[in-house]
Amino acid sequence: MAQAATAPSARNYLQELLPRLVLAPSFAAVLIFVYGFILFTGYLSFTDSKMLPSFGWVGLENYSKLWALPHWWRALGNLGIFGSLYIIICSVLGLGLAILLDQKIRAEGVLRPIYLYPMALSFIVTGTAWKWFLDPGIGLEHTMHQWGWESFSFTWIKDRNFAIYTVVIAAVWQSSGFVMAMFLAGLRGVDNEIIKAAQMDGASNLTIYRRIIIPMMRPVFLSAFVVLAHLAIKAYDLVVALTGGGPGQATELPATFMYSYTFTRNSMGIGAASATIMLIMIASVIVPYLYSELSTGRKS
Amino acid sequence: MSAAAPDTAVRTASLTRILIYCALILFAFYYLLPLYVMLVNSVKPLDEIRQGDMLSLPQQFTLDPWFSAWSTAQIGVQPTGLKPYFLNSILMVVPAVAASTLLGALNGYVLTKWRFPGDNLVFTLMLLSCFIPFQIVLIPMAKVLGLLGIAGTTWGLSLVHAIYGIGFTTLFFRNYYEAFPTELVRAAMIDGASFFQIFRRILLPSSGPIIVVTVIWQFTNIWNDFLFGVSFADSYSLPMTVALNNLVSSSTGVKEYNVHFAGAILAALPTLIVYVVSGRYFVRGLMAGAVKG
């Protein structure tokens, strides 16, 4: 009798536990491979690791070395230039294209996929394409010379002072269509009654966009900012394929800096310190955003 | 991509409309230009690229660069072409996509229909894991792959991608199942259906769209990955993106631009095909991954 009573309750107990057992491996993987690894890398940034991880505690030495490196400052400066231009140009271009596409354009079904397809490509492919397009010896400059415009000169990709802008050009090409899609979805969500009311009051199209519609796009601007900032801080492949960080160190970014210090310059401690700072940069963009998203989501 | 009905109420005059069309077409050219340049120049002999301009159509059409990129071009030290690396990428992508999608579906199901104390914290931690810069995990991951004895293998890469995909796939399925009527699940529970029966018979049959979105998202991201490939693969298990970069940036010999272009298109082809075939789902995945918290 006693057995018969406990068997179903044991089964119930298992049934109760099963969902959590199913979730457990994934959660454990995330805990170990994401958060455990973050702690490990964070710890390494306080050690004397060179070519291999080593556990001699050196305190903040790696960080003070890192912030004394002109190379790191260049990477941060480049990220500042690249990130801000990338975010601004993508947003302006994306909003502009979305507004133009939102004018009852008959060919929208053809144009939209054309604007968006670069997002499906690997940054390596994008980098390869733009590398040769911008190469003076074979790309745009060469072509202009062939067409008879002998004085045309476009050598940014070979120029220390301008190479970082070629990274912006290629990155904008890849991502602006996506930002356009985000804004287009936002514009389609605008209530037409508001616009009609404004038109009845005699407002011009320009005024309607400037005063009513664009201010209503604020959440989209915020989302676009978060996505683009996050992509900019992570940017690695594009630089590798387009310029390899050069000429010199002209297009180094924190991501390329981290990779070269960790794996080719045998300064794993400094590499780990730079990775930790990248994480802090991304967290300072993502965490407040997700926090506000999740809390407004709960309210509504 | 089916166009959602343009339903803006803003009216414009006809001259403005012509200008709008001009601007839109101009931008279409801008986005198509690099692809066009790659395509046209991948079927020209090298001499013609050097002497002619990059926009003109080939005078002498040749598919040699394509064959060379596929099977004979020098990648690193071996003249194997991109073929073996294309295969590597497929062997890496398929298990990783399958595993992360299945786990994401189960996780989403548990997190919405079998809620437990602390489930929000679990979800938040998984969600945050989507956004970390992967530089932060490179060093310990290299060590762990070595300890497991799968460093430098395609399986190892596949495992890495599966693990770091779980956050996103869980996010997709959780948001999708959130909207699925919980009453149905409850009714089935009362009828005595088990955990897996409910998943298989009730949720899975209506999960078509989100499975497509997730698979496309994972496929595109993993196929296009470069950082993990360049960090963890050895010269035999390189994925396509790393092999392409080796091909393009190798400094020995003549730069065979036409071969590079053909290789780049080969590397882009799988994701481009997915995009052309199912662009609507692709965009939906982008939006879900980007906007939704």
Side-chain angles (χ1 to χ4, degrees):
Chain A
M1 281 309 265
Q3 257 184 341
T6 51
S9 79
R11 250 187 66 200
N12 278 345
Y13 186 64
L14 192 71
Q15 193 74 316
E16 190 102 312
L17 216 61
L18 188 60
R20 272 170 266 184
L21 284 177
V22 167
L23 186 65
S26 302
F27 187 54
V30 168
L31 277 187
I32 296 168
F33 289 94
V34 176
Y35 297 98
F37 281 10
I38 288 175
L39 290 180
F40 185 82
T41 305
Y43 181 76
L44 279 187
S45 70
F46 296 106
T47 65
D48 57 355
S49 302
K50 293 278 181 259
M51 201 172 95
L52 294 167
S54 115
F55 301 100
W57 185 265
V58 294
L60 285 169
E61 195 183 306
N62 287 320
Y63 288 93
S64 57
K65 272 190 197 153
L66 177 70
W67 290 103
L69 281 171
H71 192 166
W72 172 245
W73 283 101
R74 202 161 301 133
L76 283 183
N78 282 338
L79 178 63
I81 296 172
F82 167 68
S84 46
L85 286 175
Y86 173 61
I87 293 170
I88 292 169
I89 298 174
C90 276
S91 303
V92 170
L93 204 60
L95 177 64
L97 284 175
I99 289 176
L100 293 184
L101 261 191
D102 199 31
Q103 310 299 322
K104 295 193 171 122
I105 297 300
R106 205 161 299 158
E108 190 194 320
V110 180
L111 289 168
R112 217 165 31 150
I114 292 178
Y115 296 164
L116 252 166
Y117 87 90
M119 203 63 195
L121 301 181
S122 148
F123 274 117
I124 300 293
V125 173
T126 304
T128 306
W130 282 96
K131 182 182 189 171
W132 301 130
F133 189 88
L134 297 170
D135 190 303
I138 182 156
L140 187 63
E141 184 178 306
H142 179 71
T143 302
M144 288 300 170
H145 293 175
Q146 295 283 322
W147 286 359
W149 187 357
E150 293 292 340
S151 61
F152 181 87
S153 164
F154 192 79
T155 55
W156 281 10
I157 199 162
K158 304 274 183 207
D159 187 327
R160 273 164 190 279
N161 298 319
F162 290 98
I164 189 69
Y165 301 105
T166 62
V167 184
V168 177
I169 294 175
V172 165
W173 178 79
Q174 174 129 4
S175 314
S176 48
F178 170 46
V179 181
M180 180 278 297
M182 288 172 76
F183 276 113
L184 196 57
L187 290 174
R188 294 279 149 82
V190 171
D191 188 356
N192 279 336
E193 296 306 311
I194 302 172
I195 298 168
K196 282 188 189 130
Q199 276 168 341
M200 252 175 295
D201 287 345
S204 70
N205 281 346
L206 196 68
T207 319
I208 293 176
Y209 271 108
R210 225 187 42 202
R211 293 282 175 77
I212 303 173
I213 300 180
I214 293 177
M216 283 172 80
M217 292 296 110
R218 241 179 56 191
V220 187
F221 274 110
L222 187 64
S223 300
F225 171 79
V226 170
V227 172
L228 294 171
H230 160 246
L231 283 176
I233 299 170
K234 280 185 174 178
Y236 175 71
D237 343 11
L238 183 62
V239 175
V240 169
L242 189 68
T243 62
Q249 299 168 351
T251 51
E252 287 280 1
L253 291 176
T256 58
F257 175 96
M258 184 276 168
Y259 194 88
S260 67
Y261 269 75
T262 308
F263 295 110
T264 56
R265 291 177 184 234
N266 296 335
S267 313
M268 195 174 272
I270 292 178
S274 65
T276 308
I277 289 172
M278 285 177 67
L279 178 75
I280 293 170
M281 288 196 279
I282 286 193
S284 60
V285 175
I286 293 284
V287 172
Y289 173 72
L290 284 183
Y291 184 77
S292 72
E293 283 281 297
L294 288 177
S295 54
T296 51
R298 222 165 275 149
K299 260 178 253 156
S300 65
Chain B
M1 295 173 74
S2 72
D7 58 351
T8 173
V10 177
R11 278 169 303 209
T12 40
S14 61
L15 178 66
T16 342
R17 290 196 69 77
I18 293 170
L19 287 176
I20 289 174
Y21 271 101
C22 286
L24 285 173
I25 290 167
L26 206 68
F27 274 103
F29 277 118
Y30 162 68
Y31 288 109
L32 285 173
L33 193 60
L35 189 67
Y36 169 80
V37 168
M38 286 203 288
L39 262 176
V40 185
N41 288 295
S42 71
V43 290
K44 284 180 194 171
L46 203 50
D47 286 344
E48 204 184 312
I49 297 182
R50 284 214 204 84
Q51 281 148 24
D53 67 72
M54 62 178 176
L55 293 175
S56 59
L57 290 167
Q59 289 160 338
Q60 195 191 333
F61 180 87
T62 166
L63 280 177
D64 288 347
W66 283 75
F67 291 120
S68 169
W70 181 246
S71 53
T72 61
Q74 189 94 8
I75 313 283
V77 287
Q78 279 164 320
T80 55
L82 290 166
K83 187 171 60 180
Y85 308 103
F86 194 89
L87 241 69
N88 282 348
S89 270
I90 289 179
L91 288 176
M92 169 185 83
V93 167
V94 173
V97 171
S100 58
T101 305
L102 180 67
L103 286 174
L106 285 170
N107 296 343
Y109 169 51
V110 172
L111 286 170
T112 52
K113 302 303 171 212
W114 297 83
R115 307 198 54 168
F116 55 90
D119 59 351
N120 261 328
L121 178 69
V122 170
F123 176 63
T124 308
L125 286 174
M126 292 181 104
L127 174 66
L128 281 176
S129 78
C130 300
F131 299 100
I132 57 162
F134 288 129
Q135 278 77 13
I136 198 89
V137 299
L138 285 184
I139 302 170
M141 197 72 214
K143 216 170 147 59
V144 167
L145 287 176
L147 287 176
L148 293 175
I150 48 174
T153 65
T154 304
W155 281 109
L157 267 183
S158 213
L159 179 73
V160 174
H161 282 297
I163 290 171
Y164 293 107
I166 290 176
F168 265 116
T169 58
T170 302
L171 167 68
F172 286 156
F173 279 99
R174 181 202 173 258
N175 286 350
Y176 188 79
Y177 288 154
E178 188 99 288
F180 188 88
T182 308
E183 296 76 39
L184 283 180
V185 177
R186 235 179 245 137
M189 264 186 238
I190 291 165
D191 287 346
S194 75
F195 175 82
F196 285 109
Q197 277 170 340
I198 295 173
F199 180 63
R200 247 196 358 251
R201 304 268 171 79
I202 300 180
L203 276 103
L204 221 44
S206 62
S207 306
I210 197 63
I211 293 176
V212 176
V213 168
T214 310
V215 167
I216 290 175
W217 170 272
Q218 284 296 90
F219 176 82
T220 312
N221 275 347
I222 300 175
W223 183 276
N224 286 344
D225 162 74
F226 178 75
L227 184 62
F228 285 149
V230 78
S231 307
F232 302 139
D234 67 13
S235 53
Y236 296 99
S237 60
L238 294 180
M240 190 66 173
T241 46
V242 184
L244 172 67
N245 190 52
N246 288 356
L247 168 73
V248 172
S249 59
S250 82
S251 46
T252 49
V254 197
K255 282 210 183 298
E256 295 183 292
Y257 302 111
N258 46 6
V259 177
H260 298 173
F261 290 134
I265 298 172
L266 282 172
L269 215 49
T271 50
L272 269 185
I273 289 173
V274 166
Y275 174 67
V276 169
V277 172
S278 53
R280 201 154 43 94
Y281 290 102
F282 177 80
V283 177
R284 213 187 284 174
L286 276 179
M287 302 297 239
V291 191
K292 278 276 148 218

